[in-house]
Amino acid sequence: MPPRPAGTDGSDWSYREVIEDRYKRMAVNMSASLLLHQIQSLAVVLKLAWLCIPVYISEGNPNQFLWALLALLVVGNVCFYLGKPRGRCVLPLMKVAASCVLITVSLTFISFWKMYVMEPKTSLYSRRLYKFLKDQGRASSPTTLEVLKTVEGLVDVFVLAGCGVCFFVLNNWVKDAMELVKEREQRNKAAAGSAAAAPKKKR
């Protein structure tokens, strides 16, 4: 059996309570991560659909953010589900999945800042779609433009919020798992050292 952690004895429950709390927290975080990862994936899919507006209105190819978000979505989901979140998890894959979510948040924020701050308002997808619909005679009311602008903003907020919360919860699980792996390795090393020292004492 591995040696008892330093500073504990048979009546010391603090170490055991810390470990039990960590396992409970990890179970809660993983259950939440399963749902949150699906939500953030849905948010990214909606964002990808919105970024395809230039194709729909025949104004050329989507911008570079679409391909980056698509790659992150595919890689993140593959790593997340290959990591077996319902069973024994593969920690390196879960790290990659968490990193993909974080990069998605960063790219969405950059895209948000670029579209709303750096570029003219006429470049907004909502305005371009409204102009297309107006030219087609399918929309003429200013209310339609306001609705499209609201949808555009909600999609961006949905992606930022969904991915942000998902990364926070998933990253907490990854950190707890890394700490457990580190502690297990330390216990194994201590046990191996004790086993190697035992024959010498008998001699």
Side-chain angles (χ1 to χ4, degrees):
M1 293 180 62
R4 186 181 300 279
T8 64
D9 54 31
S11 61
D12 188 353
W13 292 88
S14 60
Y15 177 79
R16 189 177 302 174
E17 289 174 352
V18 169
I19 295 300
E20 289 178 354
D21 289 342
R22 183 180 297 167
Y23 274 112
K24 291 178 182 178
R25 185 172 65 247
M26 288 180 65
V28 172
N29 285 339
M30 180 49 64
S31 297
S33 295
L34 286 169
L35 175 61
L36 291 172
H37 199 273
Q38 294 172 352
I39 293 175
Q40 72 89 24
S41 296
L42 173 62
V44 174
V45 169
L46 292 176
K47 179 66 176 180
L48 292 174
W50 191 261
L51 291 175
C52 287
I53 285 179
V55 177
Y56 172 70
I57 62 179
S58 303
E59 287 190 359
N61 297 323
N63 63 28
Q64 65 275 18
F65 287 105
L66 181 141
W67 307 113
L69 290 177
L70 180 60
L72 289 169
L73 177 66
V74 173
V75 173
N77 274 274
V78 169
C79 291
F80 184 81
Y81 289 104
L82 285 181
K84 298 180 181 179
R86 291 187 181 276
R88 186 174 181 178
C89 296
V90 181
L91 187 55
L93 291 178
M94 301 305 286
K95 289 181 182 179
V96 174
S99 299
C100 287
V101 176
L102 177 61
I103 297 173
T104 299
V105 175
S106 302
L107 285 180
T108 303
F109 181 79
I110 293 173
S111 174
F112 187 88
W113 176 74
K114 181 181 178 183
M115 290 291 294
Y116 290 94
V117 178
M118 298 296 295
E119 296 183 352
K121 292 183 178 181
T122 53
S123 65
L124 293 175
Y125 287 160
S126 56
R127 292 182 179 273
R128 292 159 66 179
L129 179 58
Y130 174 73
K131 182 179 181 300
F132 173 80
L133 295 176
K134 187 176 180 180
D135 293 341
Q136 295 287 322
R138 297 161 61 182
S140 58
S141 173
T143 304
T144 304
L145 175 59
E146 295 301 321
V147 170
L148 292 174
K149 289 166 60 178
T150 301
V151 171
E152 185 172 31
L154 289 176
V155 169
D156 287 328
V157 171
F158 186 26
V159 174
L160 288 172
C163 293
V165 175
C166 179
F167 172 75
F168 177 78
V169 175
L170 181 57
N171 188 59
N172 283 340
W173 180 90
V174 170
K175 289 194 297 184
D176 284 336
M178 290 175 63
E179 290 178 2
L180 287 176
V181 170
K182 185 177 180 180
E183 291 176 0
R184 187 183 303 120
E185 291 176 350
Q186 291 176 346
R187 290 198 302 269
N188 291 338
K189 289 181 180 179
S194 300
K200 296 181 180 179
K201 291 182 179 179
K202 291 181 179 180
R203 293 176 185 176

